[in-house]
Amino acid sequence: MSETPQAATALESSLGSTTVGGGAESASPSPAGIVGRPPRARASWRERLEITMLSGPAIVVFVAFVILPVFAAVYYGFYRWKGYGPPTDFIGLHNYKVILTDPEFHRAVLHNFEIAGLSLLIQGPLAILLALLLNREMRGRSIIRVLVFVPWVVSEVIAGTGLGLMLPVNGAINGLLTKMHIFGHVHVQWLGSHLGLWTLMAILTWKYLGFAVILLMAGLQNIPEELYEAASIDGASYWQMQRSITLPLLGPTIRIWAFLSIIGALQLFDLPWIVWGEFNVDRDGVSTMATYMAHYGPRTGLYGYGNAVAVVLFIISLIVALFYQRFVLRRDISGSVTDGGKR
Amino acid sequence: MTTASLESAPKPSRARRASGRPPKKKLPWGSPAVYFIALIVIALTLAPVAYIVLGGFRDNSQLTVDPAGLPSPWRVSNYGHVLTSSTFWREFANSVIVGGVTTLLVIALGVSASFVVARYKFRGRGLMFGLFAAGLMFPITVAITPLFIILDKLSLTDSLLGVILPQVAFGLPTTIIILVPFLQAIPDEIEEAAAVDGCSRLGFFFRMVLPLSLPGVLTTGILTFVASWNSYLLPLFVLSKTSSFTLPLGIQQFHSQYASDTAAVLAFTSLSMIPALVFFTAFERRIVGGLQGAVKG
């Protein structure tokens, strides 16, 4: 998830602006997002040279380290392979059969989807309220903003290490609760299998709420000031305005955040891995597809198997992404196209 | 959307000015309820960070007896030890190198590729943009296992370059998608005027495009640096020699090596979060501004 902020913003705009992002069905040659500028004369050799020089390095690096590995994963996934020598032991779909019948993997997938759903339900409302609060013009706003974003900037390893030390039974959280003298002597098993998933949800909310807020705040800036002025002339109250102006106009941003949040939840790795540790995630009910992949991949010498898990993880994410694009984001895209035409 | 994204791109700067807040004017105080909520939120967000930073000023017996207490007395020896250890500084240097080189390369490759997509007209331009946009569907988590094999074949494991190059590759889609609208928003007239004055396409690129797209470049640069500074999964797979560890791996290593010395672990951890925090805090405003073009539905 450490890559989230970046990938996030980008995805969002790509999804907002093109259907190319998910390799969607509309494979028209001219992608949206690029506007036809008046064509120049046919590309001269000089221009072609410039194009090659300018975009060549980026394309080479990108293909070598992003596109190629994905194809490599598909290839290696058909082999039983220990990672040295060329893979020779072709076993067809055997790896996939093992993955799809492994109860440990089933649990991981279930956790991924639980995390995705709960993240939306918990973080969504909180993020909207917080973004509204931080968008008010009041003294001290900038310092509050900076402080709210701190968890998002702190790395997963740092957060995980700190929280891993705070959450054990004799850790600081229980210590603090005991000190409050409300609940008596507290020894809650925050990391145990009963509360594990909820603790993880609390951690994820703490860590990624700032990102949702920053995105929504950027979206709020795009809502024309005049709408609020008109509404207040008509005597609308603050909350009425938020309900009838802000929320509908923030819709596209919210839906894009939701998309990023879902994909992030499906790819979740760092925090469960660091807070609970490689060998506890499954027992404590916080394993994910990615922790499963890391555990049964190169670290245990099962290169072929690890690659097959990567392919499954990718396909599941892709299906979810395409589904979401098809049924949720599509209206944003078509809406904004017509909207852009009207203006 | 096509036109919308084009129109929205230059907005960040305009919007701020147009929203008509004279910068010197003092903002009004909010209602006490709002500050109260803000205070609770901040307390919750900062508590774990405070635990780490304050814990570094305690010693292990303090931490065991009263895990949620304040330092008494305050001890600076943990921080002293970390700051004088060569391990910390070596890992710090590795992180700086990886973060710095990644950021520079992402910007260099990203701006030039975005320039091509935004301002050259040629067949395959849409394909190129589509290729990079599709890259967003391949997060590093999915690609890590095969990526490791490829890096191994190139003998790039255990070298910082083995972390840098994939990070650049995975950083490019974001960068290009944020920058293309910025570059498209530069009016054609400027380019034509530059051409009349005898400026070549490339001259236009270096003299006009780079300065004009600076807000977008800054945003992507900061996001890239912070992501690189915090990155864990990739270094975890690629780097196995302790001499090439970056700080996140260093924290993990230090934690397992001195598991009983919690105070030292906390001091180490809190020192390693400073650069990303400083960086982000300094540029927080710009990030919100730079994202605006991208968020536009």
Side-chain angles (χ1 to χ4, degrees):
Chain A
M1 278 287 277
S2 52
E3 261 62 42
T4 316
Q6 281 203 55
T9 41
L11 231 191
E12 127 157 74
S13 58
S14 96
L15 286 168
S17 64
T18 90
T19 46
V20 186
E25 64 294 336
S26 70
S28 67
S30 68
I34 301 171
V35 173
R37 306 187 319 115
R40 296 180 165 243
R42 269 185 62 92
S44 63
W45 65 268
R46 196 204 145 105
E47 219 174 69
R48 269 183 228 159
L49 184 72
E50 286 175 8
I51 290 171
T52 317
M53 262 172 44
L54 287 171
S55 60
I59 291 177
V60 168
V61 171
F62 183 74
V63 169
F65 295 105
V66 179
I67 303 295
L68 198 62
V70 175
F71 286 102
V74 175
Y75 171 73
Y76 290 124
F78 291 122
Y79 289 85
R80 179 181 290 130
W81 186 43
K82 298 277 185 217
Y84 40 83
T88 49
D89 194 358
F90 184 84
I91 51 172
L93 293 173
H94 181 71
N95 282 333
Y96 294 96
K97 223 179 278 170
V98 176
I99 296 167
L100 295 177
T101 53
D102 184 357
E104 191 177 335
F105 186 72
H106 294 169
R107 288 195 290 273
V109 176
L110 178 68
H111 298 151
N112 275 119
F113 280 95
E114 285 172 343
I115 293 165
L118 289 172
S119 295
L120 294 184
L121 292 178
I122 299 171
Q123 291 181 30
L126 284 177
I128 293 171
L129 288 177
L130 208 53
L132 287 179
L133 189 144
L134 293 180
N135 207 42
R136 293 170 76 105
E137 303 204 336
M138 59 180 202
R139 240 188 262 193
R141 178 175 69 167
S142 40
I143 182 81
I144 301 174
R145 273 189 190 181
V146 169
L147 293 179
V148 166
F149 297 139
V150 164
W152 180 56
V153 184
V154 169
S155 81
E156 277 81 358
V157 175
I158 291 172
T161 307
L163 291 163
L165 290 167
M166 292 168 78
L167 288 164
V169 178
N170 54 358
I173 302 270
N174 282 341
L176 190 67
L177 290 174
T178 303
K179 269 193 182 175
M180 290 162 76
H181 295 296
I182 306 174
F183 314 101
H185 197 77
V186 180
H187 0 218
V188 179
Q189 301 257 7
W190 299 107
L191 299 175
S193 57
H194 281 295
L195 283 175
L197 193 70
W198 293 102
T199 305
L200 179 62
M201 288 318 302
I203 295 175
L204 293 177
T205 306
W206 173 80
K207 182 78 179 69
Y208 297 111
L209 194 64
F211 173 68
V213 171
I214 211 171
L215 217 56
L216 293 175
M217 274 171 46
L220 284 175
Q221 311 284 318
N222 283 327
I223 300 177
E225 203 66 35
E226 297 82 43
L227 293 181
Y228 295 107
E229 285 161 18
S232 69
I233 290 171
D234 289 347
S237 75
Y238 176 79
W239 289 110
Q240 277 175 328
M241 284 194 264
Q242 304 314 321
R243 224 185 53 120
S244 327
I245 300 175
T246 312
L247 275 187
L249 288 179
L250 211 50
T253 312
I254 295 172
R255 285 190 282 274
I256 281 164
W257 163 75
F259 177 79
L260 298 172
S261 174
I262 292 170
I263 292 295
L266 293 180
Q267 315 274 345
L268 182 65
F269 170 76
D270 301 17
L271 281 166
W273 185 267
I274 293 162
V275 177
W276 276 266
E278 179 173 359
F279 301 101
N280 300 331
V281 282
D282 185 46
R283 187 198 63 203
D284 292 335
V286 291
S287 60
T288 65
M289 290 186 276
T291 63
Y292 180 89
M293 180 183 77
H295 182 54
Y296 290 107
R299 294 171 69 83
T300 32
L302 301 169
Y303 284 76
Y305 191 72
N307 278 299
V309 178
V311 172
V312 173
L313 171 49
F314 175 65
I315 291 174
I316 291 179
S317 311
L318 190 68
I319 292 173
V320 171
L322 290 179
F323 229 76
Y324 192 87
Q325 247 191 318
R326 180 91 173 72
F327 293 107
V328 183
L329 283 182
R330 198 168 61 148
R331 59 176 172 157
D332 289 342
I333 293 163
S334 59
S336 47
V337 169
T338 44
D339 180 48
K342 262 184 255 159
R343 262 184 283 160
Chain B
M1 172 62 215
T2 36
T3 38
S5 83
L6 193 72
E7 283 166 18
S8 70
K11 228 175 174 175
S13 49
R14 225 199 306 144
R16 191 168 304 151
R17 259 175 273 139
S19 67
R21 265 178 260 133
K24 290 280 175 280
K25 199 185 90 186
K26 278 213 173 133
L27 291 171
W29 289 99
S31 78
V34 171
Y35 285 109
F36 182 69
I37 297 170
L39 208 66
I40 292 176
V41 172
I42 289 172
L44 287 173
T45 55
L46 290 190
V49 177
Y51 170 78
I52 295 171
V53 175
L54 292 175
F57 285 108
R58 309 177 75 197
D59 57 36
N60 288 309
S61 62
Q62 291 182 35
L63 281 163
T64 320
V65 173
D66 178 10
L70 289 171
S72 71
W74 289 66
R75 303 198 182 274
V76 289
S77 58
N78 295 313
Y79 285 101
H81 286 310
V82 174
L83 286 173
T84 51
S85 87
S86 59
T87 315
F88 176 79
W89 288 110
R90 190 185 58 232
E91 288 162 0
F92 188 91
N94 284 341
S95 273
V96 170
I97 293 169
V98 170
V101 177
T102 301
T103 308
L104 288 180
L105 281 178
V106 164
I107 288 176
L109 299 189
V111 173
S112 45
S114 308
F115 181 66
V116 169
V117 172
R119 305 208 67 100
Y120 281 81
K121 191 107 177 96
F122 60 100
R123 288 161 62 107
R125 183 177 69 152
L127 190 75
M128 196 193 283
F129 188 74
L131 180 76
F132 285 115
L136 295 167
M137 293 307 304
F138 306 95
I140 209 155
T141 318
V142 170
I144 191 72
T145 310
L147 192 59
F148 172 76
I149 294 165
I150 290 172
L151 290 170
D152 197 40
K153 289 221 163 105
L154 297 172
S155 313
L156 283 174
T157 48
D158 259 327
S159 88
L160 295 183
L161 205 59
V163 177
I164 292 171
L165 288 176
Q167 278 188 0
V168 172
F170 280 90
L172 279 174
T174 327
T175 310
I176 290 173
I177 280 159
I178 291 184
L179 285 181
V180 164
F182 268 96
L183 300 190
Q184 280 180 330
I186 299 172
D188 282 343
E189 289 76 24
I190 295 187
E191 186 171 353
E192 280 150 21
V196 169
D197 290 346
C199 197
S200 70
R201 245 331 178 31
L202 288 179
F204 168 71
F205 175 68
F206 286 111
R207 292 189 199 169
M208 305 296 305
V209 170
L210 287 185
L212 284 173
S213 58
L214 207 60
V217 170
L218 261 176
T219 303
T220 55
I222 295 156
L223 292 177
T224 307
F225 183 84
V226 171
S228 164
W229 187 268
N230 293 343
S231 133
Y232 172 64
L233 182 66
L234 184 65
L236 177 70
F237 274 71
V238 175
L239 307 174
S240 57
K241 275 207 306 266
T242 46
S243 61
S244 57
F245 273 12
T246 53
L247 270 176
L249 292 184
I251 294 171
Q252 285 268 285
Q253 155 86 5
F254 195 88
H255 192 178
S256 50
Q257 197 175 342
Y258 302 95
S260 54
D261 195 352
T262 310
V265 172
L266 291 172
F268 193 103
T269 308
S270 63
L271 284 173
S272 65
M273 72 176 129
I274 292 173
L277 275 182
V278 169
F279 226 72
F280 181 81
T281 309
F283 294 106
E284 180 262 337
R285 269 160 193 280
R286 285 187 181 276
I287 293 182
V288 175
L291 286 182
Q292 241 170 283
V295 175
K296 182 69 181 222

